[in-house]
Amino acid sequence: MEQWISFAKGPLFAFAFLVMVLGLIRLVIIQVYSLILQKGRRLRNVPWKKIALEATSWAVPVRHLIPGTRFFSVTSYLFHIGVLTVPILLTDHIALWESFLGVNLPAIGHRLADLLTLFTMACIILLFGCRLFIPRLKSMSKFMDFALLGVIFVPFASGYLASHPNVNPFPWETVMLVHILSAEVLFIAVPFTKLSHIVLFFFDRISQLHWQLRPGAGDRVAEALFGKETHV
Amino acid sequence: MSEKTEMANATLAGRSPIRSYPYYIENPETEHRVERFLEAFAAVLKYTDYKPLLDSYCTSNAKCNRCAVTCPVFLATGDPKDIPCYRSNLLLDIYKRYFTIGGWLKAKFAGGFELTEAVIDEMLSLFYRCTACRRCTMECPMGVDHGLVTRLGRYVLSLIGIVPKALQVSVREQLEGETRNTSKVPKVALLDTLSFLSDELDDLMGVSLEFPVDQMDREYVFFCAVSDYLMEPETLMGNAAVLYAAGDWDKWTIGTGNYDGINYGLFYSDWHLENIIKQLLAEVDRLRGNTILIGECGHASRSAHDFVPVFGGSHGHSVINFMEYTLDCLEKGKITLDPNIITERVTYHDPCNIARSGWIVEQPRAILKSFVRDFVEMEPHGHNNYCCGGGGGLVSVDEIHDYRMEIGGKVKAEQLRRTGADICIAPCANCKKQLKELVEHYDLPCQVMGLHDLILKAIVIEGAKIPQERKEEAALLEM
């Protein structure tokens, strides 16, 4: 089992992390390249300040709390805090980042980490419940929307169990292996699923750029479909 | 021939029966729509710049459904199909399935979504239930621009002939017809109307004015929604009164080559949007004008303001809405508005295209607050305002009147009722028509008019009848 764990912590972790990073870089490159190549000088017409203010307003989305979605929004916001903080700033992970990436990050205390972990898990269950029981949300939710919540839940739950032997009914090695493997599944899922909004969030928000239509494109589309004698 | 007989005949002749569309279509074809839609979508993706945005949306779309509670259509119906995200996903799913490697692989090995005639039916219905107000975009945590996606869906549908006849016939006349405008107003009728407006202004104010037509080298070339010449004389007289009072009468002109600011291309087609902008610019160039002055019309203002720089190349004309011009005159002290004339309670409806999708929120309020004693806001208002229910071209589609009243405009009507206003200012030809119909439908004790209709009542013009005198005369006429 130990060999399995060290394999999962070593080459497999490197592979999964690389897939995530390279996958996300690919998404960013495609976006930036397309924008610069296609839009070029038209980007000067874009109200950048308005876009930046709008995007940053979501960092503390108080003014976005609208009736009818407050519970879901608050839960989702808190969930994001946990999802971003615990995996990166947990003491046990700090050592991992240092050995793997050579960066030394400040750690959060164990008690805070425990609290945030339980909190995040509770948020995931609530979000799952929202998707299951709020009719309009249920109608939109597909298998993947539920599955991804599960994919995020498992590393949190197994991580908590691994660091709390008193509540862990399973062998430590098994739990640790599940923890590492599930985190790696999550890494690999990031660039191919909606979790890619880690980076695409910024590109989704700039639809103002996409209203800068390409001059002459309409003519070319019409010509391709109807020939030169295009009529209204 | 009735529709039923037509369907029966078609079936008997071995053809598929004519589909029922929610709006009139010129040539409602039933054959090969799926193939033709995909062919059209492929051409659009090849020649336009939408691909990266669709890539981003279809990968990262969170489906959180916050948009649902922002949408006046969903609030009125509660139908999950009216959720903006559901609607956008119709097109995004097609994109993902047919135009991405991931979608192709998934279809090959796991099956899943396929475009069918039923999906086309759903799109042509849902894309025209949306008023393109873009309120949902503001509250989407991802920033998915459902208005843009809906417009793109409409664009592709229009390429296979699916577009409301009302819109298509209008733009055909505008781009290829003799009159070059959407309401088919010939030049002679325009000149008649302007002469009528002169007489009316003379009667009302006691000032004799001749509207400037085809004057060269003027600062402003004026374009309003051409329907205003037929339906909104008071708005136009208000515009004229401001120009005259500000001493700018010799600085503007109306061109007879093209006098229509309407651009339905903004609602459904890149091709039309660009060609209508080019036609407008050609007229400004012919007259050697400088600034494009757009009358009280939301989408005309947005389409000129946003797309003259995009399609205009080196033309370099600036575009302003008439309310900006009026506020500038007011702030510079070039015009005076009598604060004792308007005693009724007044509210202001923000047209989506110039408020949420534009740059005009505070300007009309500054004007109104300068001379209206009892001004009340709708809640919510400004960038967050609800659409009138006739946006995105829907107001021009007469056959969906019931939809616009009972669903599209339901939230707006309630919002208007809550203000208790006697007058609702709607500085947009589309909003005005829709709101007038709503007021009638819901029996609201409120009069809908343009901002310059109100200004016309209160503007002080040197050497002309004072506003109080005009008010008394109008009261006498009403008795």
Side-chain angles (χ1 to χ4, degrees):
Chain A
M1 185 61 90
E2 272 198 21
Q3 277 176 327
W4 278 106
I5 290 179
S6 59
F7 177 69
K9 272 171 90 172
L12 211 56
F13 183 85
F15 172 75
F17 195 77
L18 214 61
V19 167
M20 178 177 77
V21 173
L22 291 178
L24 291 178
I25 289 174
R26 173 184 159 268
L27 292 175
V28 173
I29 287 176
I30 289 173
Q31 288 294 322
V32 173
Y33 179 76
S34 318
L35 284 172
I36 292 172
L37 193 78
Q38 292 180 343
K39 300 288 178 189
R41 280 182 303 164
R42 274 173 288 148
L43 295 183
R44 284 186 302 197
N45 300 328
V46 173
W48 289 105
K49 197 177 162 190
K50 191 177 165 190
I51 292 173
L53 285 174
E54 185 61 32
T56 47
S57 76
W58 287 91
V60 187
V62 178
R63 75 175 178 85
H64 290 292
L65 288 174
I66 46 175
T69 64
R70 285 188 184 126
F71 181 77
F72 184 84
S73 300
V74 171
T75 312
S76 175
Y77 184 69
L78 297 175
F79 158 76
H80 278 80
I81 292 175
V83 159
L84 289 174
T85 321
V86 179
I88 299 175
L89 301 181
L90 184 76
T91 317
D92 308 279
H93 291 176
I94 295 288
L96 186 74
W97 301 127
E98 193 165 6
S99 67
F100 190 64
L101 296 174
V103 288
N104 194 1
L105 297 168
I108 51 171
H110 264 289
R111 286 185 84 169
L112 181 61
D114 282 351
L115 208 67
L116 277 171
T117 304
L118 290 172
F119 204 69
T120 309
M121 281 156 56
C123 287
I124 293 172
I125 293 167
L126 289 174
L127 290 176
F128 201 96
C130 286
R131 286 205 178 272
L132 213 53
F133 296 113
I134 298 176
R136 65 164 194 277
L137 207 49
K138 190 181 175 188
S139 69
M140 284 294 299
S141 302
K142 292 184 178 171
F143 170 75
M144 200 49 117
D145 299 301
F146 292 105
L148 284 175
L149 284 173
V151 168
I152 301 169
F153 186 83
V154 177
F156 274 85
S158 53
Y160 187 83
L161 289 178
S163 58
H164 292 82
N166 52 332
V167 292
N168 180 13
F170 311 107
W172 184 87
E173 285 85 358
T174 315
V175 173
M176 187 40 85
L177 190 63
V178 169
H179 178 65
I180 298 167
L181 290 177
S182 61
E184 285 159 3
V185 169
L186 181 58
F187 283 167
I188 291 170
V190 166
F192 304 107
T193 63
K194 69 176 180 182
L195 301 179
S196 59
H197 72 258
I198 292 174
V199 295
L200 289 180
F201 165 82
F202 302 99
F203 297 98
D204 282 352
R205 293 224 72 86
I206 51 173
S207 68
Q208 293 263 10
L209 267 67
H210 295 273
W211 283 99
Q212 304 293 316
L213 307 176
R214 189 195 297 183
D219 277 335
R220 283 190 282 277
V221 171
E223 198 182 318
L225 294 170
F226 312 118
K228 291 231 180 252
E229 290 296 307
T230 302
H231 288 281
V232 182
Chain B
M1 200 185 326
S2 77
E3 197 176 304
K4 274 187 180 170
T5 327
E6 220 168 352
M7 284 177 77
N9 282 346
T11 316
L12 285 172
R15 289 180 280 123
S16 53
I18 292 170
R19 282 172 183 276
S20 105
Y21 288 89
Y23 37 80
Y24 297 132
I25 288 179
E26 275 204 319
N27 297 301
E29 289 189 33
T30 57
E31 302 294 319
H32 310 299
R33 294 190 310 172
V34 169
E35 295 86 338
R36 288 170 57 227
F37 185 91
L38 291 174
E39 188 193 351
F41 202 177
V44 168
L45 293 172
K46 184 174 178 186
Y47 295 107
T48 64
D49 300 343
Y50 293 111
K51 214 171 181 310
L53 187 71
L54 297 179
D55 275 330
S56 187
Y57 282 174
C58 74
T59 314
S60 62
N61 188 354
K63 298 200 193 84
C64 69
N65 270 17
R66 280 173 54 91
C67 55
V69 294
T70 66
C71 174
V73 175
F74 176 79
L75 290 177
T77 66
D79 183 347
K81 289 193 172 183
D82 284 326
I83 297 173
C85 198
Y86 178 87
R87 191 180 60 239
S88 292
N89 271 292
L90 290 174
L91 193 70
L92 293 176
D93 283 347
I94 297 171
Y95 175 75
K96 203 170 184 174
R97 160 67 182 84
Y98 294 96
F99 301 101
T100 65
I101 296 168
W104 179 79
L105 285 172
K106 191 181 167 207
K108 198 158 179 66
F109 298 108
F113 174 80
E114 292 288 335
L115 179 59
T116 59
E117 292 288 345
V119 178
I120 303 248
D121 279 335
E122 201 171 11
M123 284 195 292
L124 69 87
S125 166
L126 295 185
F127 289 159
Y128 282 95
R129 284 171 75 86
C130 167
T131 64
C133 78
R134 299 177 73 234
R135 195 166 190 268
C136 46
T137 298
M138 279 178 47
E139 291 306 335
C140 173
M142 293 293 115
V144 173
D145 194 335
H146 298 293
L148 190 145
V149 177
T150 295
R151 181 181 177 279
L152 177 59
R154 289 178 175 193
Y155 180 28
V156 181
L157 283 173
S158 77
L159 292 168
I160 64 167
I162 299 173
V163 56
K165 186 178 175 182
L167 300 182
Q168 192 172 14
V169 168
S170 298
V171 290
R172 180 178 299 133
E173 181 60 26
Q174 192 176 19
L175 286 171
E176 292 174 354
E178 259 182 52
T179 63
R180 297 276 155 176
N181 64 72
T182 47
S183 293
K184 227 175 173 176
V185 176
K187 180 179 166 182
V188 62
L190 170 79
L191 297 176
D192 263 2
T193 304
L194 294 178
S195 158
F196 164 77
L197 293 177
S198 290
D199 293 346
E200 284 289 297
L201 273 169
D202 199 358
D203 284 351
L204 187 73
M205 303 267 192
V207 289
S208 181
L209 294 172
E210 194 180 332
F211 278 74
V213 172
D214 283 339
Q215 299 297 310
M216 306 297 282
D217 301 305
R218 294 281 167 100
E219 171 62 28
Y220 303 109
V221 181
F222 178 75
F223 295 88
C224 58
V226 74
S227 50
D228 281 4
Y229 289 114
L230 304 171
M231 291 155 66
E232 302 295 343
E234 302 220 323
T235 309
L236 295 173
M237 286 197 287
N239 293 153
V242 172
L243 281 157
Y244 179 75
D248 286 343
W249 196 252
D250 57 352
K251 288 185 182 161
W252 76 295
T253 187
I254 297 167
T256 56
N258 180 7
Y259 36 92
D260 190 2
I262 286 177
N263 191 336
Y264 288 146
L266 181 70
F267 302 141
Y268 81 93
S269 159
D270 290 6
W271 189 82
H272 295 96
L273 178 63
E274 179 169 358
N275 283 292
I276 293 166
I277 289 288
K278 283 180 175 167
Q279 187 165 284
L280 183 137
L281 284 168
E283 180 67 351
V284 180
D285 285 344
R286 180 181 76 83
L287 297 166
R288 295 197 298 268
N290 190 17
T291 303
I292 298 166
L293 181 61
I294 307 284
E296 287 193 14
C297 183
H299 91 277
S301 302
R302 178 180 165 209
S303 51
H305 182 270
D306 287 7
F307 294 100
V308 161
V310 174
F311 298 129
S314 57
H315 284 272
H317 296 293
S318 55
V319 177
I320 62 167
N321 177 282
F322 210 105
M323 293 187 288
E324 292 178 275
Y325 167 77
T326 301
L327 179 62
D328 186 54
C329 292
L330 195 65
E331 286 175 344
K332 286 181 177 156
K334 288 164 78 176
I335 59 167
T336 309
L337 302 173
D338 188 335
N340 300 313
I341 300 300
I342 309 299
T343 48
E344 298 94 330
R345 172 171 281 199
V346 178
T347 189
Y348 178 80
H349 163 75
D350 289 274
C352 304
N353 279 309
I354 51 173
R356 186 162 29 254
S357 298
W359 66 107
I360 295 175
V361 174
E362 293 308 323
Q363 300 91 322
R365 289 178 166 79
I367 299 170
L368 281 166
K369 285 172 185 170
S370 76
F371 75 107
V372 171
R373 288 177 184 176
D374 187 7
F375 176 73
V376 288
E377 288 283 14
M378 294 190 200
E379 288 305 331
H381 59 266
H383 291 109
N384 209 15
N385 198 25
Y386 281 113
C387 174
C388 61
L394 300 198
V395 78
S396 305
V397 187
D398 284 335
E399 60 271 25
I400 58 165
H401 174 269
D402 290 351
Y403 168 78
R404 285 192 278 111
M405 295 300 109
E406 293 295 335
I407 296 171
K410 190 179 171 190
V411 173
K412 184 85 239 174
E414 186 46 43
Q415 201 188 10
L416 190 53
R417 188 197 301 276
R418 281 201 305 267
T419 62
D422 306 304
I423 296 173
C424 173
I425 298 299
C428 167
N430 280 11
C431 303
K432 231 182 274 179
K433 180 171 181 278
Q434 164 76 1
L435 288 171
K436 282 177 180 174
E437 289 174 11
L438 275 181
V439 161
E440 199 182 320
H441 185 80
Y442 286 96
D443 200 18
L444 302 175
C446 181
Q447 198 187 349
V448 179
M449 60 173 74
L451 177 58
H452 285 82
D453 304 41
L454 207 63
I455 288 173
L456 182 67
K457 294 176 195 282
I459 194 163
V460 179
I461 296 180
E462 213 173 306
K465 290 179 195 168
I466 59 167
Q468 192 58 41
E469 190 185 343
R470 300 201 305 261
K471 190 178 178 180
E472 283 160 12
E473 279 182 6
L476 274 175
L477 277 174
E478 271 177 26
M479 279 170 73

